[in-house]
Amino acid sequence: MTSSEVWDEETAERYDTTFAEKFAPEVLDPAADFLARLAGSGAALEFAIGTGRVAIPLVARGVPVIGIELSASMVAQLRRKADEKTLPVIAGDMTTTTVPGEFSLVFLVWNSISNLRTQVEQVDCFRNAARHLGPGGRFVIELWTPPVRRLPPGQSAVPMSIGDGHLVLDTYDLATQQCTSHHYWHEADGTVRYGSGNFRYIWPAECDLMAQLAGLELENRYADWDGSPFVSDSESHISVWRKPLAGHQ
């Protein structure tokens, strides 16, 4: 078992509605189109597939997808939308679990690599991705850039998102790169629901070193799925590493 928290049945049942904005076509279509282009005529493997938010539209674009997922409750929600034949899922973690076959694409979206709360496990995740890729195959992650520049001196909390009915505050330990996201939802009955998640944040340069340790080379880095340039003020990145062709280093 990794250090990742396992999402329980209640969290899984709420997931699609709680994060409905992540299922909107304007969010999903660019991601699925981007990943389909990289997969080409090959198959894709998704680490932490969850309820199939990205995998299902990718399958609809003709890309065979297999998933790995640690939470049985999340897979149960996925099964309400796609059967095992359409979208196979292997129970396990993204650091050690392997599936048969060779893939042109392995992908890990929406900050999920940060669920691994140690650097060792994050490196193992890169190595597991490389293990599944054929020569020339790509590993793609979507990851936020930690907004630690917003931290006032002597404070450890940063407002991450302030929207109607949903407030997110992140607290950081800069020495260990540990982060906790504190979520407050305003319910229709006037009550406030609280939830939290624990992560280890990673800088883009640190990701590149992890990729290098896994034998992968940085190919591209973007600020979003639309291919916009990644710059110093970008709040997130889509990074693509490639496994060298046979005989090339």
Side-chain angles (χ1 to χ4, degrees):
M1 182 67 69
T2 71
S3 61
S4 176
E5 296 172 345
V6 182
W7 289 10
D8 59 19
E9 184 175 352
E10 181 181 358
T11 302
E13 287 180 349
R14 292 178 179 267
Y15 183 85
D16 287 14
T17 54
T18 297
F19 301 106
E21 72 278 4
K22 291 292 184 178
F23 290 79
E26 60 268 24
V27 174
L28 270 181
D29 286 348
D33 291 342
F34 182 104
L35 294 169
R37 286 194 299 270
L38 289 188
S41 60
L45 171 64
E46 181 175 8
F47 289 170
I49 194 171
T51 67
R53 181 181 69 93
V54 175
I56 290 172
L58 192 55
V59 168
R61 285 161 170 75
V63 179
V65 180
I66 297 177
I68 293 176
E69 175 55 49
L70 189 60
S71 169
S73 298
M74 294 292 277
V75 177
Q77 296 301 312
L78 184 155
R79 285 288 163 254
R80 296 182 177 184
K81 298 179 281 186
D83 59 27
E84 178 70 20
K85 182 178 180 181
T86 302
L87 186 49
V89 178
I90 307 298
D93 71 82
M94 56 183 130
T95 64
T96 60
T97 302
T98 59
V99 301
E102 192 171 81
F103 298 86
S104 62
L105 175 68
V106 178
F107 65 100
L108 180 58
V109 298
W110 200 19
N111 308 326
S112 295
I113 192 170
S114 294
N115 290 336
L116 301 170
R117 296 169 62 193
T118 71
Q119 188 182 68
V120 169
E121 289 174 331
Q122 290 168 347
V123 171
D124 286 342
C125 179
F126 273 83
R127 286 177 169 151
N128 199 29
R131 188 179 297 126
H132 286 90
L133 289 172
R138 278 103 167 182
F139 180 40
V140 177
I141 67 168
E142 177 189 17
L143 186 60
W144 97 107
T145 305
V148 295
R149 288 185 297 176
R150 300 181 194 168
L151 284 173
Q155 296 189 26
S156 60
V158 173
M160 189 66 177
S161 176
I162 301 175
D164 294 339
H166 187 201
L167 169 67
V168 185
L169 293 175
D170 284 351
T171 53
Y172 291 89
D173 183 332
L174 300 182
T176 62
Q177 295 181 210
Q178 299 296 318
C179 171
T180 300
S181 285
H182 305 268
H183 295 260
Y184 301 85
W185 288 277
H186 188 269
E187 304 288 24
D189 62 3
T191 61
V192 175
R193 176 167 56 91
Y194 171 77
S196 64
N198 297 293
F199 310 95
R200 181 184 186 271
Y201 64 85
I202 324 172
W203 297 104
E206 187 180 7
C207 289
D208 292 341
L209 182 57
M210 292 180 180
Q212 182 180 338
L213 292 171
L216 303 175
E217 302 171 345
L218 180 67
E219 184 174 68
N220 284 301
R221 175 166 290 130
Y222 306 101
D224 208 341
W225 295 107
D226 61 8
S228 53
F230 178 79
V231 297
S232 59
D233 290 333
S234 297
E235 296 183 352
S236 63
H237 61 98
I238 311 298
S239 293
V240 182
W241 296 275
R242 193 178 189 199
K243 187 171 186 176
L245 296 170
H248 292 74
Q249 296 295 327

